[in-house]
Amino acid sequence: NSSGLAGSGQMWGKPAHWVDYAAVVNGQPVGVAVFDHPSNLRHPTAWHARGYSLCAANPFASKSFSKGKGPDGSYTLPAGGKLRFRYRAVIHEGPCEPDQIEQLYQDWARRGK
């Protein structure tokens, strides 16, 4: 992830600007990098990242991530209010180095302000 953590044991519940879920499929390295936009609620978000292919942003699970010791993660949307989330997924064939992903993230984050 953008914090340099690797593997679900290290990444689960940790905040990051992006994660890259990569594997070898039919002998070919492939991956999906998912970006959390800086304008999103609680950016950088915490991620569900599991070895069985679950990789999801979750800005509402702080209590689960902290084993019940943190805030509950709830958010009250005022009547008539809006809450917008922006994410980007980049599917890549072949290995993609963290600095390459970071550059893609930075370019996207700057354009989307």
Side-chain angles (χ1 to χ4, degrees), residues 2-112:
S2 64
S3 299
L5 302 176
S8 59
Q10 289 185 16
M11 291 177 15
W12 187 80
K14 300 297 188 305
H17 298 272
W18 54 263
V19 297
D20 182 38
Y21 191 90
V24 176
V25 178
N26 296 327
Q28 296 290 96
V30 296
V32 177
V34 183
F35 302 163
D36 176 41
H37 197 271
S39 66
N40 286 347
L41 176 72
R42 299 182 181 140
H43 173 80
T45 195
W47 297 84
H48 284 289
R50 297 289 196 200
Y52 53 82
S53 300
L54 172 65
C55 185
N58 194 336
F60 301 105
S62 56
K63 192 168 195 165
S64 294
F65 291 144
S66 66
K67 298 182 178 161
K69 297 177 183 163
D72 69 6
S74 64
Y75 176 81
T76 302
L77 185 64
K82 294 180 184 179
L83 181 59
R84 179 181 181 188
F85 287 96
R86 297 173 66 194
Y87 300 95
R88 180 182 189 196
V90 175
I91 300 167
H92 58 87
E93 291 181 317
C96 200
E97 296 299 321
D99 59 334
Q100 294 171 293
I101 297 170
E102 179 66 22
Q103 187 60 55
L104 290 169
Y105 170 78
Q106 291 295 330
D107 291 347
W108 174 71
R110 277 193 297 272
R111 281 195 322 263

